[in-house]
Every structure is written in structure tokens, then in C-alpha cells.
Amino acid sequence: MSNQLYINEIQSLFDDVQRSEIFEDQKMMTDAVPLFPIAKINEDYEKSKKTEGFNLKDFVMTHFDFLGARVSVHREEQLPIGEHIEKLWDELTRTAYEEKGTLLKLPKPYIVPGGRFNEFFYWDSYFIMLGLQVSGRIEMMENIIENCSYLILNVGFVPNASRTHFLSRSQPPYFSLMLDLLFETTHNEGIYTQYHETLEKEYAFWMNGEEWLENGSSVKRVVKTKDGDILNRYYDAENAPRPESYLIDIEDHETTSGDEFYRNIRSACESGWDFSSRWFADGENIQTIETLNLAQVDLNCLLWHLEMTLAKSSALQNLSDKENYFSERAASRRQMINKYFWDRNTNNYKDYHTKKNTKTPSEHIAALYPLFLGIADQEQAEAVAKAIAEKFLYKGGLVTTTKNSGQQWDLPNAWAPYQWLGFKAMKNYGFDELAEKIKNNWCSNVERVYKNTGKLMEKYNALDTETIAGGGEYPNQDGFGWTNGVYLQLQQN
């Protein structure tokens, strides 16, 4: 099924449903499964919408299935948090052996995040795997890797999530890190050679168009700086409102003049950070979003890891030309990470503005990636650790930025992935005391909210631990895949 085909086929009805706000959450309609052939639904709609007393919601409810649109967990009694998570793994497990509506088929069972997120998500799945490792659920870890590989080999990349309207973007490329995690669990080096073709294909996706670039230009996810260096950026192939946030995007677009506003919005979604002051030219308003003008430190670190993994899988197969090629690419990228993302003025890692040829002002937690992956030197690590301790660590965990904009990927919210990245980053460089503090502050926040609500949440308020986190386009969700995974892994360490 091509990109957005199903939604395009019901475009008139879809547009009317989203604009009329008959559902509180715009994702409801994107996840709906048609009960009749699309042609019949369109015909019925064109006929009946002009009749007296027509009710749009009634029409939609009789022509689509909304079963499984939400994942909610209700317990009669509150279990200890560890037991609750063990039960959640089964409750969050799904299969999709055939396409239904917008849902893509996948060959293996998988774990969904929870709440409104009832499909396979790419970078979430890595953090879910951290918990599966602790739970001894090796088969499900292998399933996740197999699903990612299937998508890369058949689609060319792992979409943001396993729905047709996400076929224009990916998410942070964690596949090579997933292989590391499985290797750490099984000590089977064969997984690197088993998935060598998959690794190569994902790399080709991120580097697509590189050979056509002139200095100071960009294409898709690749940027060539004015000095002729290659970096990467987040990107989305579509420049249209997101179906899952359709009306929000249209309304935001009305107050901006940017002709690539929608693509900038979607490109931020590829980063997983939807949304943050990190992407805004004025640091305040989503109307000034300029994701496309930035090369991001996290993405380039993850692609360095992918290059290193490709060098490793090539060496295991005695493919010396490929080993040399990917080793050289990794070595070059490591230099570029230092050249373009290390800010000597603030002693921290920043994103790079490719149009202004300067570091961006936003202070954000993605500065952890060079430490998480061991790219930073000790002096750089000490400076980052100091910034983390002074500006990012609160009593409820690590916040993502130092700015409170009302966006969900800004202060005061603490997200599970960055608690793990922070803990590991500090451990890597010997800052054990700070690592423990990150772990304890966030885990105690998770435990407190669980005690009060019986739920594990998508995100947490790091400043006011009496309050559930907010901000963003939808309410805080419970479930919750990556929180479960990171909590279990931190408790184990």
C-alpha cells in the first residue's frame, strides 16, 4: 500500500471528520478500520451527507471499526510495580499478520507503547527491549529486531510507526543498537552478519542523495556543509498536514508564512521530539519551526554507531573493502561531530544550523549522545556532566531542555529514554554518583506516580513531582512501553 493511500481514498470524508472534531483525538480516525469497501463508503457518504438530519459521527461509527484504538489497563488491586510491568508485557503485545486500514502487517508479534499508541514504534522499541532483556523475554527482543529488518528490507527503512501514513519518515535509527543489546544478551556474534544486508539498506536510506550534493546544499536527510563535510538531518518526504494531527497542523500553518512548514513539522516527528523549542527559530513558537535547517547531534551520533556496526559486520565476513569503507566513514563522522556539534563557548554539544553555519542556542539533553556512545573525550564528558548536574537534573529526573515553552519535549518533562541515556553516559565516563542520582530521582518519581494512579506514564514532571506531566498535542498516555523498559533496566543496574 503506497504512502497514505487508504486515507487519500477517503480524503473528502477524512477531511470533514478531522475538521469537525467529532473525536477528541485526531488519531482516532487515522486508526479506524473500514467495515466496507472504500468505494461503497465514499458513495454512501456523498449520498447521505446532503440528507436532512445527517450525523457525521453516526455515519463514521457505522462504517468503521474503532476496536483496539486504545490500550488501557485496569487492575482490581495494585500489584508491586515489577509484577505490574511483567503483566503489562503480555497486555501490550500485538500481532498484525495482515494489513487493516492504515496498520502495516508485520511478521512477528510486537509490543506497543500503550494509550493512544497501538502500533509498532521504532525508537520506542529499543527502550522496550531494555526491559524485555531484564524480564528474560529474549524471543520478543528477537521479534522486534525481525520486524525492523522486515520493514527495512521491504519499505527501505523503519517507519516512525507501523501505519501507512508514516511511510514518509523514520525515527532515530536504533536498529544497530538493538543488535548490540541482543548480542549482550545472547553472546551470538552471528546476529551482525545475519542482519548485515539490513544494516546496509538502512544506511543507504539515511545517506540517499549524498553523491549529488554540492557544498552548502542538502537533499533529503543529507547535508553538505560549505566546507564540503557530510552531516545528516531529520526529514520527511511529505509536505502536507499530518493525518494524525490534521487540524492542529492546518491551524498552525494559518499563522506562519513558511512554505515548508508541514515538512518542518513532520521532520521534527522523525526525531521523536514532537515538539520542542529545540526546533524553533525564535525558541518559543511552533510557527517558527526550522527542523530542516539543522543537522542534529543525536542523529549523527546514531549514524556513527551504524557505520561502526557495519564495519564490524563486514569484518566478521572478511569483507575487507567494506570494513575499510565503513571504518573510514565512522572516523570521518567522529571528527565532524567534534567540529560541528561541540560548542567551545558553552562547553556542550549543540545542533548545527546549516544555513547560518553556527551552533544553535538551544540547550538540550541530546548532548548526551556523544557520551552514551563513547564519542566524547574525558574533558568534553566532564563539561557535559557538569551541565547535566546543574541545568537538567531535577528531583523527578532529567528534563529535555532548559526552556519551558509548553511543548511536551521541553522543561519540565522527563522522558524515559533520556534517563537511560543519562545514566549510561555518566557510567561510561566514571561519573557514578551522578548516574545514581539520575536513576534514583526518576525511578522514585515513577514509583510515586504509580502508587498514586496505578499507572506507568509516557512522561513525568521532573520539577513538580506531585503533578502528572502535560504539554503537547494530546494528554499524557499510560501503559507505557519505554517507561516500563527503562525502569526495569535501571533497577537492574
Side-chain angles (χ1 to χ4, degrees):
M1 189 179 283
S2 64
N3 186 24
Q4 290 195 46
L5 177 61
Y6 152 61
I7 286 174
N8 285 345
E9 285 180 343
I10 57 161
Q11 187 57 48
S12 173
L13 172 59
F14 183 82
D15 184 77
D16 290 347
V17 169
Q18 299 297 59
R19 286 177 186 272
S20 68
E21 297 181 88
I22 60 173
F23 300 115
E24 194 178 334
D25 186 347
Q26 298 244 301
K27 193 175 182 294
M28 285 289 287
M29 192 61 197
T30 68
D31 297 359
V33 178
L35 293 170
F36 307 98
I38 298 297
K40 176 173 170 33
I41 293 175
N42 283 334
E43 188 185 333
D44 287 355
Y45 183 57
E46 290 307 313
K47 272 186 200 164
S48 55
K49 72 178 182 182
K50 299 176 182 114
T51 60
E52 197 178 332
F54 172 74
N55 184 295
L56 180 58
K57 188 165 187 177
D58 287 349
F59 178 88
V60 169
M61 297 308 285
T62 55
H63 285 76
F64 294 87
D65 184 357
F66 293 87
L67 285 175
R70 290 294 174 275
V71 186
S72 56
V73 177
H74 299 289
R75 301 243 190 273
E76 294 301 314
E77 55 179 339
Q78 194 168 119
L79 298 168
I81 192 166
E83 286 180 39
H84 177 72
I85 293 172
E86 287 301 329
K87 284 189 178 295
L88 277 173
W89 292 141
D90 296 325
E91 289 163 22
L92 296 174
T93 297
R94 296 289 180 277
T95 57
Y97 298 130
E98 56 186 47
E99 288 193 357
K100 283 186 179 176
T102 58
L103 193 65
L104 297 171
K105 70 176 182 181
L106 290 170
K108 300 287 184 181
Y110 52 90
I111 300 209
V112 300
R116 75 200 284 265
F117 303 111
N118 197 21
E119 53 275 300
F120 181 85
F121 275 80
Y122 185 10
W123 79 313
D124 292 63
S125 295
Y126 173 77
F127 298 97
I128 286 167
M129 283 175 70
L130 291 171
L132 296 173
Q133 183 190 46
V134 176
S135 297
R137 296 187 180 227
I138 315 304
E139 187 181 354
M140 185 58 85
M141 293 175 72
E142 293 169 339
N143 289 345
I144 287 170
I145 287 172
E146 191 60 26
N147 284 331
C148 287
S149 181
Y150 169 83
L151 288 165
I152 292 167
L153 295 177
N154 287 279
V155 176
F157 61 98
V158 185
N160 181 151
S162 60
R163 290 194 180 272
T164 54
H165 50 281
F166 292 131
L167 289 173
S168 57
R169 66 174 176 269
S170 186
Q171 266 193 334
Y174 264 86
F175 183 72
S176 57
L177 280 155
M178 290 177 177
L179 295 185
D180 280 0
L181 195 58
L182 187 61
F183 171 68
E184 185 188 299
T185 313
T186 63
H187 308 293
N188 172 19
E189 220 168 29
I191 58 160
Y192 293 107
T193 54
Q194 181 185 344
Y195 291 107
H196 180 82
E197 183 192 350
T198 306
L199 291 163
E200 281 194 312
K201 193 153 186 182
E202 181 168 52
Y203 188 65
F205 165 77
W206 287 96
M207 304 310 294
N208 185 9
E210 153 184 38
E211 62 275 22
W212 310 113
L213 284 177
E214 296 174 2
N215 290 10
S217 67
S218 55
V219 62
K220 298 180 183 174
R221 292 164 177 82
V222 194
V223 174
K224 199 169 195 177
T225 69
K226 64 177 176 49
D227 291 353
D229 298 318
I230 295 292
L231 296 170
N232 288 80
R233 65 175 182 173
Y234 293 113
Y235 179 84
D236 188 298
E238 297 270 340
N239 188 28
R242 294 167 296 153
E244 73 280 13
S245 300
Y246 191 75
L247 189 60
I248 297 165
D249 284 357
I250 287 170
E251 288 174 346
D252 283 339
H253 184 246
E254 285 168 0
T255 52
T256 183
S257 55
D259 59 355
E260 289 222 280
F261 173 78
Y262 293 129
R263 199 191 308 279
N264 275 299
I265 284 282
R266 288 163 162 268
S267 302
C269 293
E270 183 166 83
S271 78
W273 288 45
D274 43 350
F275 292 101
S276 167
S277 58
R278 177 184 180 186
W279 313 126
F280 304 162
D282 68 357
E284 301 287 345
N285 300 294
I286 200 164
Q287 286 77 9
T288 69
I289 193 165
E290 58 168 355
T291 323
L292 294 168
N293 290 338
L294 312 180
Q296 296 89 2
V297 61
D298 45 354
L299 176 58
N300 284 275
C301 289
L302 288 166
L303 289 172
W304 171 84
H305 186 272
L306 177 51
E307 288 160 346
M308 291 290 285
T309 307
L310 276 160
K312 181 195 297 185
S313 65
S314 299
L316 287 168
Q317 298 171 89
N318 298 314
L319 302 170
S320 55
D321 286 352
K322 284 188 175 183
E323 181 191 355
N324 291 337
Y325 173 76
F326 288 115
S327 295
E328 284 168 15
R329 299 238 45 177
S332 170
R333 194 182 294 270
R334 189 176 195 138
Q335 289 181 317
M336 295 312 108
I337 287 167
N338 211 40
K339 176 177 176 180
Y340 289 99
F341 302 116
W342 179 252
D343 184 4
R344 287 183 179 81
N345 297 324
T346 59
N347 276 339
N348 209 341
Y349 291 97
K350 301 282 188 73
D351 295 323
Y352 182 73
H353 199 295
T354 59
K355 298 284 190 283
K356 296 177 180 174
N357 301 312
T358 183
K359 316 296 188 278
T360 61
S362 175
E363 296 178 293
H364 56 74
I365 200 83
L368 286 169
Y369 274 86
L371 282 70
F372 173 64
L373 295 172
I375 297 168
D377 64 30
Q378 191 65 31
E379 197 178 327
Q380 289 169 321
E382 283 173 13
V384 173
K386 185 171 185 285
I388 292 295
E390 291 176 0
K391 296 182 176 183
F392 291 88
L393 182 58
Y394 289 85
K395 63 180 179 179
L398 290 172
V399 295
T400 40
T401 71
T402 55
K403 183 173 283 250
N404 189 342
S405 68
Q407 297 294 339
Q408 64 171 355
W409 282 89
D410 277 328
L411 187 141
N413 290 344
W415 294 77
Y418 285 93
Q419 315 310 310
W420 177 246
L421 267 63
F423 177 80
K424 278 295 282 182
M426 296 309 123
K427 283 284 193 185
N428 287 346
Y429 290 86
F431 307 121
D432 291 354
E433 196 177 322
L434 183 53
E436 286 301 309
K437 201 168 179 188
I438 291 167
K439 165 185 165 174
N440 293 333
N441 286 20
W442 183 74
C443 286
S444 61
N445 197 2
V446 171
E447 289 159 3
R448 191 182 301 109
V449 171
Y450 178 68
K451 189 180 175 189
N452 292 339
T453 66
K455 295 175 179 179
L456 288 113
M457 312 302 282
E458 178 190 18
K459 56 187 180 279
Y460 291 83
N461 189 318
L463 276 64
D464 179 1
T465 53
E466 301 304 310
T467 306
I468 288 176
E473 299 178 336
Y474 56 85
N476 197 355
Q477 302 296 301
D478 63 78
F480 195 88
W482 63 18
T483 299
N484 308 342
V486 170
Y487 178 84
L488 286 185
Q489 187 69 232
L490 283 173
Q491 290 301 308
Q492 176 103 333
N493 278 270

mmCIF file of all heavy atoms in Angstrom, residues 360-396:
data_model
loop_
_atom_site.group_PDB
_atom_site.id
_atom_site.type_symbol
_atom_site.label_atom_id
_atom_site.label_comp_id
_atom_site.label_asym_id
_atom_site.label_seq_id
_atom_site.Cartn_x
_atom_site.Cartn_y
_atom_site.Cartn_z
ATOM 1 N N THR A 360 23.305 26.071 17.261
ATOM 2 C CA THR A 360 22.017 26.644 17.678
ATOM 3 C C THR A 360 22.071 26.987 19.168
ATOM 4 O O THR A 360 22.828 26.380 19.927
ATOM 5 C CB THR A 360 20.865 25.656 17.424
ATOM 6 O OG1 THR A 360 21.105 24.472 18.192
ATOM 7 C CG2 THR A 360 20.754 25.297 15.959
ATOM 8 N N PRO A 361 21.266 27.952 19.614
ATOM 9 C CA PRO A 361 21.310 28.341 21.035
ATOM 10 C C PRO A 361 20.665 27.335 21.988
ATOM 11 O O PRO A 361 20.971 27.320 23.172
ATOM 12 C CB PRO A 361 20.557 29.670 21.058
ATOM 13 C CG PRO A 361 19.697 29.663 19.843
ATOM 14 C CD PRO A 361 20.419 28.841 18.813
ATOM 15 N N SER A 362 19.769 26.480 21.482
ATOM 16 C CA SER A 362 19.017 25.576 22.351
ATOM 17 C C SER A 362 19.929 24.651 23.162
ATOM 18 O O SER A 362 20.795 23.970 22.618
ATOM 19 C CB SER A 362 18.057 24.728 21.519
ATOM 20 O OG SER A 362 17.399 23.775 22.332
ATOM 21 N N GLU A 363 19.713 24.641 24.477
ATOM 22 C CA GLU A 363 20.407 23.690 25.353
ATOM 23 C C GLU A 363 19.491 22.492 25.535
ATOM 24 O O GLU A 363 18.382 22.630 26.055
ATOM 25 C CB GLU A 363 20.677 24.328 26.724
ATOM 26 C CG GLU A 363 21.613 25.521 26.680
ATOM 27 C CD GLU A 363 21.800 26.121 28.066
ATOM 28 O OE1 GLU A 363 20.807 26.674 28.596
ATOM 29 O OE2 GLU A 363 22.912 26.045 28.605
ATOM 30 N N HIS A 364 19.941 21.321 25.113
ATOM 31 C CA HIS A 364 19.058 20.162 25.192
ATOM 32 C C HIS A 364 19.823 18.880 25.515
ATOM 33 O O HIS A 364 21.036 18.783 25.350
ATOM 34 C CB HIS A 364 18.241 20.017 23.902
ATOM 35 C CG HIS A 364 19.068 19.921 22.664
ATOM 36 N ND1 HIS A 364 19.776 18.791 22.329
ATOM 37 C CD2 HIS A 364 19.303 20.819 21.671
ATOM 38 C CE1 HIS A 364 20.410 18.991 21.187
ATOM 39 N NE2 HIS A 364 20.155 20.209 20.765
ATOM 40 N N ILE A 365 19.052 17.900 25.949
ATOM 41 C CA ILE A 365 19.590 16.659 26.515
ATOM 42 C C ILE A 365 20.166 15.713 25.457
ATOM 43 O O ILE A 365 20.848 14.745 25.796
ATOM 44 C CB ILE A 365 18.480 15.960 27.348
ATOM 45 C CG1 ILE A 365 19.050 14.967 28.358
ATOM 46 C CG2 ILE A 365 17.454 15.297 26.448
ATOM 47 C CD1 ILE A 365 19.501 15.583 29.626
ATOM 48 N N ALA A 366 19.932 15.998 24.171
ATOM 49 C CA ALA A 366 20.557 15.176 23.130
ATOM 50 C C ALA A 366 22.072 15.314 23.152
ATOM 51 O O ALA A 366 22.782 14.530 22.514
ATOM 52 C CB ALA A 366 20.005 15.532 21.752
ATOM 53 N N ALA A 367 22.576 16.275 23.904
ATOM 54 C CA ALA A 367 24.023 16.410 24.145
ATOM 55 C C ALA A 367 24.594 15.167 24.817
ATOM 56 O O ALA A 367 25.818 14.974 24.850
ATOM 57 C CB ALA A 367 24.292 17.641 25.012
ATOM 58 N N LEU A 368 23.725 14.300 25.331
ATOM 59 C CA LEU A 368 24.190 13.056 25.979
ATOM 60 C C LEU A 368 24.717 12.026 24.990
ATOM 61 O O LEU A 368 25.504 11.149 25.361
ATOM 62 C CB LEU A 368 23.041 12.414 26.768
ATOM 63 C CG LEU A 368 22.635 13.064 28.085
ATOM 64 C CD1 LEU A 368 21.332 12.463 28.586
ATOM 65 C CD2 LEU A 368 23.742 12.899 29.135
ATOM 66 N N TYR A 369 24.283 12.093 23.737
ATOM 67 C CA TYR A 369 24.618 11.019 22.782
ATOM 68 C C TYR A 369 26.110 10.773 22.603
ATOM 69 O O TYR A 369 26.534 9.611 22.567
ATOM 70 C CB TYR A 369 23.935 11.262 21.434
ATOM 71 C CG TYR A 369 22.531 10.716 21.367
ATOM 72 C CD1 TYR A 369 21.447 11.468 21.807
ATOM 73 C CD2 TYR A 369 22.276 9.435 20.887
ATOM 74 C CE1 TYR A 369 20.149 10.966 21.754
ATOM 75 C CE2 TYR A 369 20.979 8.919 20.831
ATOM 76 C CZ TYR A 369 19.926 9.695 21.263
ATOM 77 O OH TYR A 369 18.637 9.190 21.219
ATOM 78 N N PRO A 370 26.953 11.806 22.481
ATOM 79 C CA PRO A 370 28.390 11.520 22.332
ATOM 80 C C PRO A 370 28.984 10.806 23.551
ATOM 81 O O PRO A 370 29.983 10.091 23.420
ATOM 82 C CB PRO A 370 29.004 12.912 22.143
ATOM 83 C CG PRO A 370 27.883 13.750 21.594
ATOM 84 C CD PRO A 370 26.659 13.236 22.296
ATOM 85 N N LEU A 371 28.352 10.980 24.719
ATOM 86 C CA LEU A 371 28.813 10.278 25.922
ATOM 87 C C LEU A 371 28.205 8.878 25.983
ATOM 88 O O LEU A 371 28.882 7.909 26.336
ATOM 89 C CB LEU A 371 28.437 11.064 27.185
ATOM 90 C CG LEU A 371 29.288 12.286 27.552
ATOM 91 C CD1 LEU A 371 29.046 13.433 26.560
ATOM 92 C CD2 LEU A 371 28.974 12.754 28.972
ATOM 93 N N PHE A 372 26.943 8.781 25.624
ATOM 94 C CA PHE A 372 26.251 7.486 25.617
ATOM 95 C C PHE A 372 26.968 6.499 24.696
ATOM 96 O O PHE A 372 27.091 5.304 24.997
ATOM 97 C CB PHE A 372 24.798 7.699 25.161
ATOM 98 C CG PHE A 372 24.002 6.445 24.955
ATOM 99 C CD1 PHE A 372 23.721 5.592 26.018
ATOM 100 C CD2 PHE A 372 23.507 6.116 23.699
ATOM 101 C CE1 PHE A 372 22.974 4.430 25.828
ATOM 102 C CE2 PHE A 372 22.753 4.962 23.504
ATOM 103 C CZ PHE A 372 22.491 4.118 24.564
ATOM 104 N N LEU A 373 27.478 7.000 23.568
ATOM 105 C CA LEU A 373 28.124 6.133 22.581
ATOM 106 C C LEU A 373 29.653 6.158 22.657
ATOM 107 O O LEU A 373 30.325 5.518 21.844
ATOM 108 C CB LEU A 373 27.652 6.517 21.170
ATOM 109 C CG LEU A 373 26.162 6.268 20.917
ATOM 110 C CD1 LEU A 373 25.726 6.844 19.579
ATOM 111 C CD2 LEU A 373 25.830 4.777 20.989
ATOM 112 N N GLY A 374 30.193 6.910 23.617
ATOM 113 C CA GLY A 374 31.641 6.895 23.815
ATOM 114 C C GLY A 374 32.420 7.681 22.776
ATOM 115 O O GLY A 374 33.593 7.391 22.516
ATOM 116 N N ILE A 375 31.819 8.706 22.201
ATOM 117 C CA ILE A 375 32.485 9.538 21.183
ATOM 118 C C ILE A 375 33.246 10.694 21.834
ATOM 119 O O ILE A 375 34.289 11.117 21.336
ATOM 120 C CB ILE A 375 31.439 10.067 20.172
ATOM 121 C CG1 ILE A 375 30.773 8.899 19.423
ATOM 122 C CG2 ILE A 375 32.057 11.049 19.194
ATOM 123 C CD1 ILE A 375 29.552 9.289 18.620
ATOM 124 N N ALA A 376 32.728 11.206 22.935
ATOM 125 C CA ALA A 376 33.341 12.356 23.610
ATOM 126 C C ALA A 376 34.655 11.969 24.276
ATOM 127 O O ALA A 376 34.843 10.812 24.672
ATOM 128 C CB ALA A 376 32.373 12.903 24.664
ATOM 129 N N ASP A 377 35.573 12.949 24.410
ATOM 130 C CA ASP A 377 36.762 12.693 25.224
ATOM 131 C C ASP A 377 36.445 13.027 26.685
ATOM 132 O O ASP A 377 35.373 13.558 26.992
ATOM 133 C CB ASP A 377 37.993 13.456 24.700
ATOM 134 C CG ASP A 377 37.853 14.984 24.760
ATOM 135 O OD1 ASP A 377 37.143 15.486 25.659
ATOM 136 O OD2 ASP A 377 38.459 15.670 23.917
ATOM 137 N N GLN A 378 37.364 12.723 27.571
ATOM 138 C CA GLN A 378 37.085 12.866 29.014
ATOM 139 C C GLN A 378 36.784 14.319 29.394
ATOM 140 O O GLN A 378 35.903 14.589 30.199
ATOM 141 C CB GLN A 378 38.262 12.328 29.837
ATOM 142 C CG GLN A 378 37.972 12.185 31.332
ATOM 143 C CD GLN A 378 36.891 11.146 31.658
ATOM 144 O OE1 GLN A 378 36.741 10.165 30.930
ATOM 145 N NE2 GLN A 378 36.137 11.366 32.729
ATOM 146 N N GLU A 379 37.512 15.224 28.782
ATOM 147 C CA GLU A 379 37.326 16.647 29.097
ATOM 148 C C GLU A 379 35.933 17.118 28.659
ATOM 149 O O GLU A 379 35.241 17.830 29.399
ATOM 150 C CB GLU A 379 38.405 17.470 28.375
ATOM 151 C CG GLU A 379 38.572 18.871 28.945
ATOM 152 C CD GLU A 379 39.690 19.636 28.241
ATOM 153 O OE1 GLU A 379 40.687 19.005 27.826
ATOM 154 O OE2 GLU A 379 39.547 20.869 28.105
ATOM 155 N N GLN A 380 35.521 16.704 27.472
ATOM 156 C CA GLN A 380 34.174 17.046 26.994
ATOM 157 C C GLN A 380 33.114 16.412 27.892
ATOM 158 O O GLN A 380 32.122 17.059 28.249
ATOM 159 C CB GLN A 380 33.997 16.561 25.547
ATOM 160 C CG GLN A 380 34.791 17.365 24.522
ATOM 161 C CD GLN A 380 34.800 16.711 23.159
ATOM 162 O OE1 GLN A 380 34.885 15.482 23.048
ATOM 163 N NE2 GLN A 380 34.734 17.512 22.103
ATOM 164 N N ALA A 381 33.344 15.171 28.268
ATOM 165 C CA ALA A 381 32.393 14.461 29.132
ATOM 166 C C ALA A 381 32.234 15.165 30.477
ATOM 167 O O ALA A 381 31.114 15.286 30.992
ATOM 168 C CB ALA A 381 32.845 13.018 29.331
ATOM 169 N N GLU A 382 33.329 15.634 31.023
ATOM 170 C CA GLU A 382 33.259 16.357 32.311
ATOM 171 C C GLU A 382 32.420 17.625 32.184
ATOM 172 O O GLU A 382 31.627 17.953 33.074
ATOM 173 C CB GLU A 382 34.676 16.685 32.798
ATOM 174 C CG GLU A 382 35.387 15.486 33.395
ATOM 175 C CD GLU A 382 36.851 15.764 33.731
ATOM 176 O OE1 GLU A 382 37.251 16.950 33.736
ATOM 177 O OE2 GLU A 382 37.581 14.783 33.981
ATOM 178 N N ALA A 383 32.591 18.335 31.078
ATOM 179 C CA ALA A 383 31.823 19.568 30.857
ATOM 180 C C ALA A 383 30.333 19.267 30.692
ATOM 181 O O ALA A 383 29.484 19.970 31.255
ATOM 182 C CB ALA A 383 32.358 20.299 29.631
ATOM 183 N N VAL A 384 30.027 18.210 29.936
ATOM 184 C CA VAL A 384 28.618 17.834 29.750
ATOM 185 C C VAL A 384 28.014 17.381 31.078
ATOM 186 O O VAL A 384 26.889 17.768 31.427
ATOM 187 C CB VAL A 384 28.465 16.731 28.675
ATOM 188 C CG1 VAL A 384 27.024 16.225 28.608
ATOM 189 C CG2 VAL A 384 28.903 17.248 27.308
ATOM 190 N N ALA A 385 28.747 16.589 31.826
ATOM 191 C CA ALA A 385 28.263 16.107 33.127
ATOM 192 C C ALA A 385 27.951 17.277 34.061
ATOM 193 O O ALA A 385 26.948 17.270 34.785
ATOM 194 C CB ALA A 385 29.290 15.176 33.757
ATOM 195 N N LYS A 386 28.796 18.295 34.020
ATOM 196 C CA LYS A 386 28.583 19.496 34.851
ATOM 197 C C LYS A 386 27.276 20.185 34.443
ATOM 198 O O LYS A 386 26.459 20.562 35.302
ATOM 199 C CB LYS A 386 29.773 20.442 34.674
ATOM 200 C CG LYS A 386 29.757 21.674 35.568
ATOM 201 C CD LYS A 386 31.094 22.413 35.451
ATOM 202 C CE LYS A 386 31.173 23.579 36.427
ATOM 203 N NZ LYS A 386 30.364 24.731 36.002
ATOM 204 N N ALA A 387 27.057 20.319 33.120
ATOM 205 C CA ALA A 387 25.818 20.946 32.627
ATOM 206 C C ALA A 387 24.594 20.118 33.004
ATOM 207 O O ALA A 387 23.560 20.664 33.404
ATOM 208 C CB ALA A 387 25.887 21.115 31.108
ATOM 209 N N ILE A 388 24.733 18.787 32.903
ATOM 210 C CA ILE A 388 23.618 17.889 33.264
ATOM 211 C C ILE A 388 23.251 18.091 34.733
ATOM 212 O O ILE A 388 22.074 18.248 35.089
ATOM 213 C CB ILE A 388 23.997 16.413 32.981
ATOM 214 C CG1 ILE A 388 24.114 16.149 31.472
ATOM 215 C CG2 ILE A 388 23.002 15.454 33.627
ATOM 216 C CD1 ILE A 388 22.841 16.286 30.676
ATOM 217 N N ALA A 389 24.252 18.095 35.586
ATOM 218 C CA ALA A 389 24.012 18.224 37.031
ATOM 219 C C ALA A 389 23.417 19.585 37.388
ATOM 220 O O ALA A 389 22.536 19.689 38.247
ATOM 221 C CB ALA A 389 25.316 18.004 37.785
ATOM 222 N N GLU A 390 23.876 20.632 36.718
ATOM 223 C CA GLU A 390 23.467 21.995 37.087
ATOM 224 C C GLU A 390 22.175 22.453 36.420
ATOM 225 O O GLU A 390 21.416 23.221 36.999
ATOM 226 C CB GLU A 390 24.584 22.984 36.733
ATOM 227 C CG GLU A 390 25.823 22.826 37.616
ATOM 228 C CD GLU A 390 26.966 23.751 37.185
ATOM 229 O OE1 GLU A 390 26.791 24.511 36.200
ATOM 230 O OE2 GLU A 390 28.027 23.693 37.839
ATOM 231 N N LYS A 391 21.916 21.978 35.184
ATOM 232 C CA LYS A 391 20.813 22.548 34.418
ATOM 233 C C LYS A 391 19.688 21.574 34.076
ATOM 234 O O LYS A 391 18.587 21.999 33.731
ATOM 235 C CB LYS A 391 21.343 23.139 33.101
ATOM 236 C CG LYS A 391 22.295 24.304 33.294
ATOM 237 C CD LYS A 391 22.716 24.858 31.943
ATOM 238 C CE LYS A 391 23.598 26.087 32.109
ATOM 239 N NZ LYS A 391 23.960 26.664 30.791
ATOM 240 N N PHE A 392 19.973 20.272 34.115
ATOM 241 C CA PHE A 392 18.991 19.308 33.620
ATOM 242 C C PHE A 392 18.436 18.363 34.681
ATOM 243 O O PHE A 392 17.363 17.808 34.498
ATOM 244 C CB PHE A 392 19.600 18.478 32.475
ATOM 245 C CG PHE A 392 19.839 19.268 31.216
ATOM 246 C CD1 PHE A 392 21.026 19.955 31.030
ATOM 247 C CD2 PHE A 392 18.867 19.338 30.235
ATOM 248 C CE1 PHE A 392 21.245 20.703 29.881
ATOM 249 C CE2 PHE A 392 19.072 20.078 29.075
ATOM 250 C CZ PHE A 392 20.269 20.767 28.903
ATOM 251 N N LEU A 393 19.155 18.146 35.741
ATOM 252 C CA LEU A 393 18.709 17.169 36.738
ATOM 253 C C LEU A 393 17.879 17.830 37.825
ATOM 254 O O LEU A 393 18.344 18.735 38.522
ATOM 255 C CB LEU A 393 19.915 16.449 37.356
ATOM 256 C CG LEU A 393 19.572 15.359 38.372
ATOM 257 C CD1 LEU A 393 18.668 14.282 37.764
ATOM 258 C CD2 LEU A 393 20.844 14.727 38.931
ATOM 259 N N TYR A 394 16.633 17.361 37.961
ATOM 260 C CA TYR A 394 15.709 17.835 38.986
ATOM 261 C C TYR A 394 15.292 16.655 39.857
ATOM 262 O O TYR A 394 15.683 15.517 39.606
ATOM 263 C CB TYR A 394 14.495 18.499 38.347
ATOM 264 C CG TYR A 394 14.802 19.833 37.706
ATOM 265 C CD1 TYR A 394 15.290 19.906 36.397
ATOM 266 C CD2 TYR A 394 14.629 21.030 38.406
ATOM 267 C CE1 TYR A 394 15.583 21.132 35.808
ATOM 268 C CE2 TYR A 394 14.917 22.259 37.827
ATOM 269 C CZ TYR A 394 15.395 22.303 36.534
ATOM 270 O OH TYR A 394 15.682 23.524 35.950
ATOM 271 N N LYS A 395 14.468 16.923 40.841
ATOM 272 C CA LYS A 395 14.136 15.862 41.802
ATOM 273 C C LYS A 395 13.347 14.717 41.158
ATOM 274 O O LYS A 395 13.301 13.618 41.686
ATOM 275 C CB LYS A 395 13.381 16.426 43.009
ATOM 276 C CG LYS A 395 12.037 17.055 42.706
ATOM 277 C CD LYS A 395 11.386 17.579 43.989
ATOM 278 C CE LYS A 395 10.053 18.247 43.710
ATOM 279 N NZ LYS A 395 9.414 18.743 44.944
ATOM 280 N N GLY A 396 12.736 14.988 39.982
ATOM 281 C CA GLY A 396 11.966 13.938 39.306
ATOM 282 C C GLY A 396 12.640 13.373 38.077
ATOM 283 O O GLY A 396 12.013 12.651 37.305
#
